[in-house]
Amino acid sequence: MRHLPDRTTRMARTRVRTGIRTRVVGSLIAALLCAAGLATPAAAASGTTQPATPSAKLPDGLAPTPPMGFNNWNSTHCRAEFDEAMVKGIADIFVEKGLKDAGYQYVNLDDCWALPQRDANGKLVPDPVRFPNGIKAVADYVHSKGLKLGIYTSAGTKTCNSAGFPGALGHERSDARQFADWGVDYLKYDNCNNQGVDAKQRYIAMRDALKAASESTGRPIVYSICEWGENKPWEWAADVGHLWRTTGDISDNWGSMLSIMKRNLPLAKYAGPGHWNDPDMLEVGNGGMTDTEYRTHFSMWSIMAAPLLIGSDLRKATPETFEILGNKEVIAVDQDPLGKQGEVVSSQGGRWVVAKEMKDGSRAVALFNETGSPQTVATTAKAVGLPDADAYALRDLWQHKSYNTAGRIAATVPAHGTALLRVSADGKWAHHPPATELGLNGGLYVEAGKSADVTSEVTNLGRTAAQRVAVTLGAPSGWTVKATSPSTARSLRTGKSLATSWTVTAPPGTEPGSYDVRLKATYRSPKGVRAETVLPFTAQVVVAPPAGTSLLGDLPWLSATNGWGPVERNTSNGESGLGDGRPITIGGKVYAKGLGVHAESTVEYYTGAACEKVTAQVGVDDETIVKGTVAFEIWADGRKAASTGVLTNAMPAQELSADVSGAQVVRLVVTDGGDGIDSDHGDWAEATLSC
């Protein structure tokens, strides 16, 4: 599914997704449905269909692990740069940069590769400008590199692009045979312009067509069902396709990635070899998130056993992008042959633990921090399913370093960051230095020209002692950092900590914003092996909240993330651009002030322990035309101070008020209410902060 550029087309998109689109019932559609075997002539003419007869599933052995590769859509859409030269260039880069060796196989074409019309024989015609030598020549080139080629079409009369390229509804057998003849190895089958035909019937029809084409040509094709999770394909598609989209399209921003991750995580029981949950392509490297956020994106897709389809233009990629995409230790988590999707062990206050059983008996463990400040995220070996043991080996998959732990698995994780670990009871733990947890008591918030106090703590998690421990705190040039308590320890036994108090001063005139700070602990194992733990985080230079009652729509925030487009001040969420919202309207009542958001969203404000109360009128904005739901939460530091139940667009605004006394940071959170619908516009109308 493609995100469309304006409100009218986006609302039309939503109507298509919910099956409200007006059906075309003329003779052309009747003929197409009959040709597809989806309806009798009479049924097609009346707009009804007959159930397709399921046949045997696709040949076994395809997609035993989640497919890995590339798809051009996220970086190029339909722009002219998507052409034969680009596709061949990506194949070359796979080989040259080691991505092929890391496991990436598929170079996939998305929409816009064909001409808008079929030829006189009803065949698809590659765009001669984009692909002057045809698709087979491109497939041959990709195959010559030891890679595979993928292609795209839709289970409707047209594809999702507004130009209206031909879809496969009614042409399944012909198109599948054409793809096989060209040497295509992978089909992404979208859901637009489906004329209201039952999804199962449409996707089964293409499955059977691919099977027939494979039997005729010897060309097996991996089948990717892209119906956005509208009909819960995880419940019926294990014998239909090799993977199925569980959500709408991803966008290159934190809120979108987070929302999709949360919708995909609960579906772990449906994934396995040859049938995978697909939370959409990777955005790593497209520029809308930080490298920390992209590492989280890659970590969480890997622990969810998701397909890893690169969505950035690798011809323009940075070394950091290649480092993330090429991390073989993280990829090994995704590609583990046991085929388990990671499951949520705990999730509280934005601190997530997700664990994945591995074939060798180890566990991959993601410690994920959803919030905008460093958080300690912790679990135990027992909680993630490991057997009792004296100690465990712990491998940090981003730092590429090994440690031992007595059983506690913990890290202070930067804002929006993830520590991805592999933990095992392998009996060789004593060869590694002890793991340590390096933490900070909350975030570091500094007013320019003033001092702020913060306390660090390094704790020995290992079975062996940490010796000659030293902690340092590095701040930007010109800042003053002073330890006001001991920053060294001769030895820390298991479970023991060294706490150090620090005073940090930002120079007068320092502009508000985020500044990089680095906390580091160095130590030695009993055998003299040097080790270190590093916590990179950001210090926030802040402005004290004003005294009295202020409108939050007029105050600066620390951070804001949103599921669609930006958070808007004093208007509704609108579309993908800043400033394109409408007047905030809930239940027919218009509000002049507030915040317009789209679930999942979080807006954080610095309150400096000087404020007492947050109050707002909350609800679903009237611009939501489908039955979207939301739920609102107010957090005071790590405490949920107030929340609503699930609200719908049929309900008037509700007052939500919270006591935030003593909090350094207040977070305004909106979730989708658990419905998984992607039109969840929420409003914090007349939101005020009293200090």
Side-chain angles (χ1 to χ4, degrees):
M1 188 67 192
R2 309 288 176 250
H3 285 309
L4 301 175
D6 56 56
R7 185 182 311 276
T8 301
T9 50
R10 187 164 181 245
M11 293 304 100
R13 176 199 71 176
T14 304
R15 287 193 291 272
V16 171
R17 287 189 171 189
T18 54
I20 304 173
R21 182 182 173 93
T22 301
R23 296 179 182 177
V24 178
V25 294
S27 59
L28 173 61
I29 298 304
L32 287 172
L33 298 182
C34 294
L38 297 176
T40 65
S46 66
T48 62
T49 61
Q50 292 182 334
T53 301
S55 61
K57 63 181 180 179
L58 286 171
D60 291 332
L62 294 180
T65 59
M68 295 176 59
F70 166 86
N71 180 293
N72 66 281
W73 184 261
N74 287 356
S75 59
T76 70
H77 295 270
C78 258
R79 294 190 296 271
E81 62 191 290
F82 167 50
D83 60 10
E84 180 177 313
M86 178 191 188
V87 176
K88 290 181 175 179
I90 296 297
D92 292 341
I93 291 170
F94 268 26
V95 176
E96 294 165 4
K97 294 291 187 177
L99 294 174
K100 175 186 172 184
D101 289 341
Y104 293 92
Q105 285 186 297
Y106 295 96
V107 182
N108 295 348
L109 319 182
D110 211 279
D111 206 348
C112 308
W113 60 266
L115 288 179
Q117 301 296 329
R118 295 174 180 270
D119 68 14
N121 297 315
K123 297 291 187 180
L124 296 164
V125 182
D127 185 327
V129 175
R130 294 184 190 271
F131 297 97
N133 297 300
I135 302 300
K136 188 177 187 308
V138 176
D140 289 345
Y141 185 87
V142 170
H143 292 157
S144 75
K145 299 289 183 176
L147 302 168
K148 297 179 179 180
L149 186 79
I151 207 162
Y152 164 98
T153 188
S154 182
T157 52
K158 297 288 184 181
T159 65
C160 291
N161 186 265
S162 58
F165 299 101
L169 185 64
H171 296 269
E172 289 88 349
R173 296 272 172 164
S174 174
D175 289 358
R177 178 59 188 261
Q178 201 169 358
F179 297 151
D181 286 341
W182 284 341
V184 168
D185 305 285
Y186 182 110
L187 173 65
K188 176 183 174 182
Y189 202 37
D190 218 333
N191 196 31
C192 291
N193 301 297
N194 58 56
Q195 311 307 331
V197 180
D198 178 76
K200 294 180 186 179
Q201 296 178 51
R202 289 182 289 112
Y203 287 98
I204 287 172
M206 180 53 83
R207 176 201 66 184
D208 294 345
L210 291 172
K211 179 185 176 186
S214 173
E215 291 172 348
S216 298
T217 65
R219 172 66 61 180
I221 296 177
V222 168
Y223 185 23
S224 171
I225 294 173
C226 183
E227 62 86 69
W228 324 310
E230 292 294 305
N231 295 279
K232 299 183 178 179
W234 47 89
E235 294 182 351
W236 52 265
D239 288 340
V240 179
H242 300 103
L243 57 154
W244 47 79
R245 280 277 292 279
T246 56
T247 70
D249 283 7
I250 194 170
S251 298
D252 185 24
N253 64 73
W254 174 256
S256 172
M257 188 276 292
L258 180 64
S259 175
I260 283 176
M261 182 205 79
K262 289 181 177 180
R263 293 175 186 177
N264 194 71
L265 274 170
L267 305 177
K269 69 180 181 180
Y270 298 103
H275 52 278
W276 306 103
N277 293 317
D278 178 9
D280 205 6
M281 297 171 284
L282 296 167
E283 292 282 6
V284 176
N286 277 326
M289 290 183 261
T290 66
D291 285 343
T292 294
E293 292 168 340
Y294 282 139
R295 278 189 289 272
T296 286
H297 183 11
F298 199 66
S299 296
M300 297 309 296
W301 261 235
S302 293
I303 206 163
M304 291 191 298
L308 299 180
L309 295 174
I310 298 168
S312 54
D313 188 343
L314 295 175
R315 299 172 301 175
K316 307 171 185 176
T318 64
E320 291 77 15
T321 294
F322 281 113
E323 185 270 332
I324 293 170
L325 295 172
N327 188 326
K328 292 182 180 180
E329 293 194 77
V330 176
I331 290 169
V333 172
D334 180 81
Q335 295 290 296
D336 185 72
L338 187 61
K340 295 274 189 160
Q341 177 174 322
E343 299 190 55
V344 177
V345 176
S346 62
S347 62
Q348 186 175 18
R351 301 180 298 272
W352 294 73
V353 176
V354 181
K356 172 181 166 75
E357 182 183 356
M358 306 289 280
K359 188 174 182 179
D360 66 358
S362 67
R363 297 294 187 273
V365 181
L367 306 177
F368 163 52
N369 175 17
E370 173 185 346
T371 76
S373 59
Q375 298 285 336
T376 296
V377 187
T379 187
T380 64
K382 182 177 181 180
V384 301
L386 287 168
D388 289 337
D390 290 337
Y392 304 84
L394 182 152
R395 178 76 172 173
D396 186 317
L397 304 187
W398 285 110
Q399 297 296 321
H400 307 296
K401 295 178 180 178
S402 295
Y403 304 92
N404 78 72
T405 174
R408 179 173 166 86
I409 303 165
T412 298
V413 184
H416 296 183
T418 298
L420 188 62
L421 312 168
R422 190 161 177 172
V423 188
S424 59
D426 67 358
K428 299 179 181 178
W429 57 267
H431 294 286
H432 310 302
T436 56
E437 177 192 350
L438 185 59
L440 203 67
N441 63 341
L444 177 55
Y445 304 98
V446 187
E447 296 177 32
K450 297 183 178 180
S451 297
D453 295 326
V454 66
T455 301
S456 66
E457 190 170 72
V458 57
T459 302
N460 182 9
L461 305 179
R463 180 60 67 192
T464 53
Q467 299 175 344
R468 298 168 62 181
V469 180
V471 181
T472 58
L473 179 62
S477 176
W479 290 38
T480 301
V481 178
K482 181 180 179 181
T484 57
S485 68
S487 60
T488 62
R490 183 173 181 179
S491 180
L492 294 177
R493 301 190 308 275
T494 301
K496 297 301 181 179
S497 301
L498 167 66
T500 305
S501 299
W502 308 85
T503 298
V504 180
T505 307
T510 304
E511 290 292 325
S514 299
Y515 294 81
D516 291 336
V517 178
R518 191 169 185 258
L519 185 65
K520 182 170 75 170
T522 59
Y523 57 98
R524 293 178 181 269
S525 74
K527 295 182 178 180
V529 178
R530 293 177 58 88
E532 68 178 29
T533 303
V534 177
L535 175 63
F537 64 98
T538 56
Q540 297 281 350
V541 175
V542 294
V543 177
T549 299
S550 303
L551 290 162
L552 286 174
D554 296 336
L555 292 181
W557 53 56
L558 285 175
S559 65
T561 60
N562 211 39
W564 171 262
V567 173
E568 296 284 3
R569 297 181 184 275
N570 304 320
T571 70
S572 68
N573 170 232
E575 283 296 317
S576 59
L578 182 63
D580 60 4
R582 294 177 175 179
I584 292 172
T585 309
I586 307 172
K589 183 176 180 179
V590 178
Y591 300 85
K593 296 288 186 175
L595 299 171
V597 302
H598 187 298
E600 304 273 341
S601 75
T602 301
V603 187
E604 296 187 330
Y605 289 90
Y606 173 69
T607 50
C611 302
E612 298 85 34
K613 190 176 183 180
V614 172
T615 301
Q617 302 296 315
V618 300
V620 179
D621 194 276
D622 285 1
E623 71 180 2
T624 303
I625 66 170
V626 296
K627 192 179 179 181
T629 64
V630 294
F632 292 77
E633 302 170 352
I634 300 174
W635 288 76
D637 290 335
R639 172 179 62 89
K640 186 189 292 187
S643 62
T644 66
V646 174
L647 307 182
T648 73
N649 59 344
M651 300 169 66
Q654 296 190 12
E655 181 172 303
L656 182 63
S657 181
D659 181 352
V660 298
S661 300
Q664 286 281 100
V665 175
V666 167
R667 286 193 292 142
L668 308 183
V669 176
V670 179
T671 71
D672 68 4
D675 67 354
I677 295 175
D678 74 344
S679 294
D680 304 324
H681 291 249
D683 293 331
W684 295 89
E686 296 181 351
T688 60
L689 176 67
S690 299
C691 304

